[in-house]
Amino acid sequence: MSRTPQRIGLFGGAFDPPHDAHVALARAAIDELQLDRLHIAPTGDAWHKTRPLSPGVHRLAMCRLAFADVPKVLVDDRELLRDGPTYTIDTLTELRAEYPGAGLFLQIGADQAAAFHTWRRAADILQIATLSIAVRADLAGAEATFDLKNPLPGLRPDAGRVRVLSLPAMPHSATDVRRRVAAGQPIGHLVPAPVAGYIADHHLYQANQAPT
């Protein structure tokens, strides 16, 4: 009897820091896409980021804490170990070789979908993986401008396989977490408790202090 091909997901990002909405998205992706495994991949040298990221060792450790209780998650450090700029197409190509015959799913947010056509080899990504776009139903999010008929502006609507993952309103962002820490405000309602503890223990995101 032949085995059903695996369904493997990739959820990349800065995770600087990972917050509760990241965890909720991971759980929803695993459930709705029926994933056998979801790789959480903190980015290494992020070519598209205009600000310096916290050292990879901290972001990796925080991801391991944030997603520790999510079944089927594997926190993947390959992009942090890769020399030079980090590109999603490279990670997907590696996963395709590691899971022959598996269906690959790339998880991104609606804001990332708007800029997806600028990604390195975007068309090739759509040939390798099904794109799962998470749309959060909050007023500060991108849902108001998200077009279901054309979810990937800049690319043909039929350029590849696309799924839309709807999430409840969650006013969370890594930018807000960093801002609140710098201002001495609580973040326990925005990040998992172990992540909040790690940020405090390692003095991350404090005003006028570079991350260590």
Side-chain angles (χ1 to χ4, degrees):
M1 183 176 178
S2 62
R3 187 183 185 279
T4 302
Q6 287 183 294
R7 298 167 70 87
I8 305 299
L10 173 63
F11 180 17
F15 298 112
D16 195 16
H19 49 68
D20 287 343
H22 289 138
V23 178
L25 193 157
R27 290 185 183 276
I30 290 168
D31 182 50
E32 293 193 26
L33 301 175
Q34 298 182 318
L35 300 179
D36 295 293
R37 178 168 293 176
L38 176 62
H39 287 249
I40 301 291
T43 190
D45 183 0
W47 60 272
H48 59 292
K49 291 289 185 182
T50 57
R51 67 171 183 84
L53 298 179
S54 298
V57 63
H58 290 315
R59 293 184 289 114
L60 182 66
M62 288 189 288
C63 280
R64 287 174 172 158
L65 293 171
F67 297 99
D69 295 329
V70 184
K72 301 183 180 180
V73 156
L74 173 64
V75 176
D76 190 328
D77 64 357
R78 76 181 71 211
E79 294 194 359
L80 294 170
L81 299 176
R82 190 178 293 151
D83 292 331
T86 295
Y87 296 110
T88 299
I89 184 63
D90 297 327
T91 302
L92 286 170
T93 300
E94 291 173 2
L95 290 175
R96 182 172 60 174
E98 292 169 19
Y99 299 96
L104 298 182
F105 296 81
L106 175 62
Q107 185 63 62
I108 66 173
D111 55 339
Q112 293 172 305
F116 182 77
H117 65 284
T118 68
W119 289 25
R120 184 181 181 90
R121 296 174 58 191
D124 290 339
I125 289 175
L126 292 172
Q127 299 307 309
I128 293 176
T130 295
L131 206 60
S132 173
I133 304 173
V135 181
R136 280 164 50 179
D138 57 271
L139 296 177
E143 182 171 300
T145 59
F146 187 75
D147 185 358
L148 282 171
K149 294 182 179 178
N150 184 23
L152 298 175
L155 294 172
R156 299 192 328 271
D158 62 343
R161 299 155 294 177
V162 177
R163 292 276 301 269
V164 175
L165 190 67
S166 296
L167 294 175
M170 296 185 73
H172 299 59
S173 75
T175 300
D176 185 44
V177 173
R178 295 192 302 270
R179 180 190 62 78
R180 292 180 68 87
V181 173
Q185 298 173 340
I187 59 171
H189 61 299
L190 297 175
V191 302
V195 173
Y198 187 95
I199 290 171
D201 290 345
H202 293 269
H203 311 291
L204 300 180
Y205 314 127
Q206 294 186 0
N208 303 318
Q209 181 175 344
T212 58

